[in-house]
Amino acid sequence: MRAIFLFFIIFVLFSCKQKNANDETGAETKATTELDEIEIIDVHTHFHNDRNYLNDFMKERKMKTVLVDVAKHNVSDSAKVKRSWKDYVALANKHPNLFWLCSSLMGVGIDTPDFAEKEIARLRKEIAEGAKMVKVWKNFGMVTKDKSDKYIQIDDPRLQPIWDFLKEQNIPVMAHIAEPLQAWRPLNPNSPHFGYYSDHPEYHAFNFPKIPSYETIIAARDNWIANNPDLQILCAHVGSMSHDVDMVAERLDKYPNMKVELAARFGDLATQESEKVRAFFEKYQDRILFGTDFGNSGDQANLDSEELAAEREELASDYDRLHTYLSTSDSVLIRGQANVGLSLPTDVLKKIYVTNATDLLKL
Ligand SMILES: [Zn+2]
């Protein structure tokens, strides 16, 4: 019995190896032909500072990105918001062929009677400065509170005039609401998010019982999407449901105004069967956009030429890794998760990399 079992295992291993070898040959052919021609739009980046290699780097890769504003409560004064907007506008003006802009909305001051009016005036100005999209962040639901000391959820009716304005302007909202489910679980060294929650314990909701549950925040997010069927909503980070593509599919079926982007959640996708994830990508090929969350920080003047070269190298290998996952069936390791790539057909890749973004953002 044991001998038969052993034989079976060897047979399975051998046939898998054969399959991979064949797939790799096929993938290589594909990679050297049409794939080199595919342009890339990364809808979720944070290049805070200019670099002398950025222009060549992005031109070589036929790549453009959206700079997504980072807005956070000021550490010393939570009534104030610290943003990247001005730096991003300057960078996009300097490199109009490389970058587009995404503004942001926080709920700070939501109790004041002219809150919506003021925010609309600001957004109107920022749309005129080039914003193609407006981001809402996980501070909704998890951080920002109103005067009654309640966490402000994204379906709060006080925000409604702003959604109506954005609908009228035909500007989509990028929604990073909630966190991966892992944030509400004990720190797990095998999770793709172990590194992030080790470095950012302030967002590890498991340690803060007062933070509403994952289910509460996701339900508020779903309610908001359902209440605004004419507002285009791009759920960032696979809608904080990247651990389970079925959960994402359920929402995409329910809400025609919802799309998802992939930033910083490839590791979660790699924890699931590649066959299953591939089927998800094929079925929802018109609703998935490529995003990474890649970026930089710090002035170039503080980096010597070696450090600058290493930064460029790392960025290249980060993009290449994701491309390998999407376009080939090779083995990949993403955030400690080993799997084989999705080997998506070229027409699907083109939608995810380019046309879904140009359609949504009217580029
Ligand atoms: Zn981001």
Side-chain angles (χ1 to χ4, degrees):
M1 186 64 193
R2 189 178 285 178
I4 294 170
F5 182 68
L6 205 65
F7 175 76
F8 177 73
I9 294 289
I10 290 168
F11 175 77
V12 168
L13 283 175
F14 183 72
S15 38
C16 286
K17 216 174 166 214
Q18 282 289 310
K19 187 175 175 289
N20 276 344
N22 291 338
D23 285 355
E24 275 164 27
T25 326
E28 219 171 274
T29 324
K30 192 163 80 173
T32 49
T33 54
E34 317 112 298
L35 285 183
D36 289 341
E37 297 309 311
I38 294 185
E39 291 169 51
I40 293 179
I41 295 176
D42 181 343
V43 295
H44 190 154
T45 65
H46 304 289
F47 293 100
H48 292 282
N49 299 83
D50 201 8
R51 296 287 188 259
N52 58 17
Y53 64 75
L54 269 181
N55 195 57
D56 290 349
F57 181 91
M58 289 172 69
K59 286 270 155 62
E60 268 166 31
R61 290 171 175 259
K62 301 186 189 63
M63 191 173 100
K64 291 183 182 187
T65 87
V66 180
L67 297 172
V68 179
D69 186 31
V70 178
K72 288 180 178 176
H73 284 270
N74 204 323
V75 180
S76 55
D77 179 359
S78 66
K80 289 208 175 105
V81 174
K82 204 173 162 283
R83 303 181 64 199
S84 314
W85 179 250
K86 281 188 181 150
D87 291 345
Y88 284 179
V89 171
L91 198 56
N93 285 339
K94 191 173 170 194
H95 300 291
N97 297 322
L98 303 187
F99 299 117
W100 292 287
L101 293 162
C102 173
S103 173
S104 65
L105 170 75
M106 299 277 280
V108 176
I110 198 166
D111 301 281
T112 51
D114 60 353
F115 165 77
E117 199 185 312
K118 275 193 174 156
E119 289 297 290
I120 289 170
R122 176 182 63 81
L123 291 173
R124 196 186 290 281
K125 184 173 151 270
E126 292 178 3
I127 291 166
E129 285 177 301
K132 301 278 180 199
M133 191 161 53
V134 172
K135 181 189 82 164
V136 288
W137 201 49
K138 63 188 176 189
N139 68 290
F140 285 106
M142 297 184 74
V143 181
T144 311
K145 295 174 175 178
D146 65 10
K147 268 189 186 156
S148 66
D149 209 33
K150 279 206 181 97
Y151 289 97
I152 306 164
Q153 294 296 340
I154 196 65
D155 62 345
D156 192 304
R158 290 171 289 189
L159 300 168
Q160 192 57 43
I162 301 170
W163 313 137
D164 295 339
F165 165 73
L166 293 174
K167 265 179 242 176
E168 186 193 291
Q169 299 288 314
N170 220 355
I171 293 283
V173 178
M174 177 187 263
H176 173 179
I177 299 299
E179 279 281 84
L181 182 61
Q182 283 296 325
W184 282 264
R185 302 283 183 267
L187 205 55
N188 170 4
N190 299 322
S191 148
H193 304 289
F194 180 73
Y196 183 80
Y197 294 120
S198 306
D199 294 345
H200 297 276
E202 71 275 25
Y203 296 121
H204 190 203
F206 177 75
N207 295 328
F208 304 96
K210 283 190 180 152
I211 292 181
S213 69
Y214 174 78
E215 291 74 17
T216 302
I217 299 172
I218 293 292
R221 192 276 315 271
D222 289 352
N223 191 37
W224 167 59
I225 300 177
N227 285 345
N228 290 280
D230 299 326
L231 182 67
Q232 287 297 310
I233 296 173
L234 175 63
C235 289
H237 307 299
V238 201
S240 298
M241 302 173 291
S242 48
H243 63 286
D244 178 7
V245 291
D246 288 339
M247 202 177 158
V248 188
E250 200 188 311
R251 268 72 180 183
L252 289 172
D253 288 342
K254 242 177 164 174
Y255 311 122
N257 56 326
M258 173 183 169
K259 294 187 167 68
V260 293
E261 65 89 25
L262 305 167
R265 298 296 179 266
F266 286 82
D268 302 77
L269 296 176
T271 62
Q272 297 163 72
E273 279 291 323
S274 287
E275 280 299 308
K276 187 180 175 180
V277 178
R278 180 191 159 106
F280 168 80
F281 272 71
E282 291 208 334
K283 183 163 182 197
Y284 299 100
Q285 56 184 269
D286 298 314
R287 318 270 299 274
I288 302 170
L289 283 74
F290 178 72
T292 62
D293 229 354
F294 295 158
N296 61 25
S297 61
D299 202 309
Q300 177 168 278
N302 299 326
L303 299 171
D304 63 31
S305 58
E306 259 175 44
E307 287 167 323
L308 210 56
E311 188 186 83
R312 178 184 178 151
E313 212 37 48
E314 199 186 331
L315 192 62
S317 77
D318 286 345
Y319 273 109
D320 289 345
R321 189 178 303 113
L322 303 185
H323 189 60
T324 300
Y325 179 70
L326 292 174
S327 68
T328 77
S329 56
D330 295 358
S331 301
V332 276
L333 186 69
I334 309 174
R335 292 205 187 193
Q337 315 302 312
N339 211 326
V340 292
L342 305 180
S343 189
L344 294 172
T346 307
D347 57 330
V348 175
L349 282 171
K350 277 184 181 165
K351 288 182 179 183
I352 290 164
Y353 272 141
V354 191
T355 40
N356 293 343
T358 51
D359 288 353
L360 180 72
L361 304 176
K362 293 163 279 300
L363 301 172

